[in-house]
Every structure is written in structure tokens, then in C-alpha cells.
Amino acid sequence: LVSGALFASCRLSFPRQPDMGCGGSQPSDSPQPSAQGNSAPASSGGHSEPSYQSSHVVPTQPTPQGVRSEKVLIPRSFRLLEELEKGQKSERASHLSWGLASDDDISLTTWNGTIFGPIDTAYDNRIYSLVIVCGPDYPDVLPEVRFMAGIAMNCVEPDGRVKPTWGVLANWKREYTIETVLDSLRREMCSSANRRLAQPANAPAAPS
């Protein structure tokens, strides 16, 4: 009887502890968050889904090399008609002019150009006539350019043909025009290599 009373006294003295789970830890009444924080619940296959809340996907920005420019290429005939109209309107200063060699040239192939020699050079006040031939692949392919009268320039052959290895012809771009060629040739006349060159006898007459 004494032992039974002592055992009952001990149970009254110590409150009952809740049941402990495996390993001695107290089971949780609600699911505890994992160590990763906001991870998604595991799938039925046993593999956990990646957490998309903890990372921010930045869209890839195109690099300058990766940007593709949609450029409209003007057909040859339209391009040459634009050049013809500009030449007729004389939008440039009076030291250059250009136009079709023949009004009935429907192929827009053969052109005449004029350069008025720059002052204070060997070409001063001389008027130079040129023939420019724009082939079927112009403006993707450079034109042929030839002086009609004699001229001494380091970019011109003895027969008057402008060397295709010179300046804008050697580095031809589709954006270049007949005007670009004429203007560059006039600038070349002013260069230190050409401005004082003696001119041939068949050069255009210089002013008296």
C-alpha cells in the first residue's frame, strides 16, 4: 500500500510531458519551413521543384553586334533618278555639276560630270569634263570615271581614267554617289601632292 501511494504521489508531483517523437524531438502540430526558406513542396516523384521566388530572371539584352538593322535597299533605277533630280536642282555649290549624257538613256548608264578647278592651284579656273559610267550593278559596284581632257593628278592614268585604287573608289560604299566622286576629286586637286603639278598641253585652257 505504501508503494502504491508513493507512486501515485510521484505522478501528482510531476506534470505529464507530451508525447515525444522519434529521436526525442517534439513533433510539430504544423509543417515547419525547410532550411531553404521558400522552397516548393516535393513532387510525387521525390524530386523537389526549384524555388522561383528566390531568384530574379533578367531578360537577355541584345548586344550591338546582335542587333540586326532592317535597311531598305533602293533599286538602281530609283537611286539614279534621285541623283539626276539632285543634279538638276543644283543643290550643291556651283563648282560641281552632273547629269545624263543623253536624255534618251533609259538605262541611266552614262553620265557627264563637271568640276571647276579650285583657286590657287594648278587647276585654278579650269573646267574639267568627265564621263561616269554606272554599270548594271551600281551602286553596289563602283562606277567608271574618266577625264575627257588632259590632267596631271596622282590618281589619274595618262588616258584620263581615274584609278579604281584611289580614295572613294577603292573604299566604295553603296551610300556613295556621283556627287561623292566629283567632290572627292576636287578635294584631291587641293592636296599637297597635286596642287602644284604642271599640267599637260591638252589640259583645259587656263584663264589668260
Side-chain angles (χ1 to χ4, degrees):
L1 294 175
V2 174
S3 298
L6 181 61
F7 179 77
S9 174
C10 290
R11 294 192 61 181
L12 292 174
S13 299
F14 296 94
R16 182 187 178 193
Q17 297 295 326
D19 294 336
M20 307 300 286
C22 295
S25 61
Q26 177 178 344
S28 174
D29 294 335
S30 60
Q32 297 295 321
S34 66
Q36 295 182 353
N38 298 328
S39 61
S43 64
S44 58
H47 301 285
S48 62
E49 294 293 334
S51 173
Y52 294 101
Q53 298 179 359
S54 60
S55 63
H56 178 64
V57 179
V58 179
T60 303
Q61 298 296 327
T63 60
Q65 293 81 3
V67 176
R68 298 185 63 181
S69 174
E70 298 296 334
K71 184 181 294 184
V72 177
L73 297 180
I74 302 175
R76 174 186 181 275
S77 57
F78 290 177
R79 163 67 177 273
L80 287 171
L81 285 173
E82 287 182 356
E83 295 194 42
L84 178 61
E85 182 179 7
K86 188 173 184 180
Q88 291 172 340
K89 291 181 177 179
S90 301
E91 294 184 1
R92 288 285 298 183
S94 59
H95 56 255
L96 296 177
S97 66
W98 63 95
L100 280 173
S102 176
D103 292 338
D104 59 359
D105 182 6
I106 61 175
S107 65
L108 307 174
T109 298
T110 307
W111 296 65
N112 288 335
T114 303
I115 299 175
F116 292 85
I119 61 173
D120 195 28
T121 67
Y123 316 98
D124 191 356
N125 287 329
R126 299 176 190 260
I127 301 174
Y128 292 91
S129 297
L130 301 89
V131 173
I132 303 102
V133 178
C134 300
D137 295 323
Y138 179 90
D140 295 305
V141 176
L142 67 157
E144 297 177 8
V145 186
R146 183 186 300 270
F147 281 87
M148 298 301 293
I151 186 172
M153 288 181 69
N154 59 5
C155 62
V156 180
E157 301 284 5
D159 62 356
R161 183 174 62 92
V162 178
K163 298 176 181 178
T165 56
W166 160 77
V168 297
L169 298 185
N171 300 286
W172 183 258
K173 297 179 181 179
R174 199 177 200 277
E175 294 77 17
Y176 291 166
T177 63
I178 294 172
E179 179 186 9
T180 306
V181 175
L182 296 176
D183 186 61
S184 298
L185 283 170
R186 192 174 189 274
R187 293 175 183 273
E188 190 68 37
M189 293 176 179
C190 298
S191 69
S192 58
N194 292 309
R195 63 184 300 120
R196 298 304 179 193
L197 289 179
Q199 296 302 300
N202 61 341
S208 56

PDB file of all heavy atoms in Angstrom, residues 9 11 26 36 167:
ATOM      1  N   SER A   9       1.795   9.535  -5.582  1.00  0.00           N
ATOM      2  CA  SER A   9       2.269  10.866  -5.198  1.00  0.00           C
ATOM      3  C   SER A   9       3.239  11.408  -6.206  1.00  0.00           C
ATOM      4  O   SER A   9       3.239  12.590  -6.535  1.00  0.00           O
ATOM      5  CB  SER A   9       2.909  10.772  -3.794  1.00  0.00           C
ATOM      6  OG  SER A   9       3.495  12.011  -3.437  1.00  0.00           O
ATOM      7  N   ARG A  11       3.353  10.778  -9.434  1.00  0.00           N
ATOM      8  CA  ARG A  11       2.643  11.147 -10.658  1.00  0.00           C
ATOM      9  C   ARG A  11       1.952  12.459 -10.480  1.00  0.00           C
ATOM     10  O   ARG A  11       1.827  13.248 -11.408  1.00  0.00           O
ATOM     11  CB  ARG A  11       1.643  10.055 -11.020  1.00  0.00           C
ATOM     12  CG  ARG A  11       2.302   8.746 -11.399  1.00  0.00           C
ATOM     13  CD  ARG A  11       1.304   7.807 -12.021  1.00  0.00           C
ATOM     14  NE  ARG A  11       0.763   8.404 -13.251  1.00  0.00           N
ATOM     15  CZ  ARG A  11      -0.156   7.795 -13.995  1.00  0.00           C
ATOM     16  NH1 ARG A  11      -0.644   6.617 -13.625  1.00  0.00           N
ATOM     17  NH2 ARG A  11      -0.599   8.389 -15.084  1.00  0.00           N
ATOM     18  N   GLN A  26      10.183  17.090 -30.164  1.00  0.00           N
ATOM     19  CA  GLN A  26       8.741  17.282 -30.044  1.00  0.00           C
ATOM     20  C   GLN A  26       8.133  17.420 -31.426  1.00  0.00           C
ATOM     21  O   GLN A  26       8.568  18.257 -32.222  1.00  0.00           O
ATOM     22  CB  GLN A  26       8.468  18.543 -29.223  1.00  0.00           C
ATOM     23  CG  GLN A  26       6.980  18.857 -29.105  1.00  0.00           C
ATOM     24  CD  GLN A  26       6.767  20.089 -28.245  1.00  0.00           C
ATOM     25  OE1 GLN A  26       7.658  20.505 -27.534  1.00  0.00           O
ATOM     26  NE2 GLN A  26       5.554  20.618 -28.302  1.00  0.00           N
ATOM     27  N   GLN A  36      15.755  25.953 -46.675  1.00  0.00           N
ATOM     28  CA  GLN A  36      15.909  26.800 -47.858  1.00  0.00           C
ATOM     29  C   GLN A  36      14.904  27.920 -47.871  1.00  0.00           C
ATOM     30  O   GLN A  36      14.914  28.744 -48.771  1.00  0.00           O
ATOM     31  CB  GLN A  36      15.751  25.964 -49.129  1.00  0.00           C
ATOM     32  CG  GLN A  36      16.861  24.940 -49.282  1.00  0.00           C
ATOM     33  CD  GLN A  36      16.708  24.170 -50.570  1.00  0.00           C
ATOM     34  OE1 GLN A  36      15.702  24.336 -51.263  1.00  0.00           O
ATOM     35  NE2 GLN A  36      17.683  23.344 -50.885  1.00  0.00           N
ATOM     36  N   GLY A 167      41.213  56.462-103.287  1.00  0.00           N
ATOM     37  CA  GLY A 167      40.219  57.072-102.416  1.00  0.00           C
ATOM     38  C   GLY A 167      38.869  56.389-102.332  1.00  0.00           C
ATOM     39  O   GLY A 167      38.747  55.235-101.937  1.00  0.00           O
TER      40      GLY A 167
END
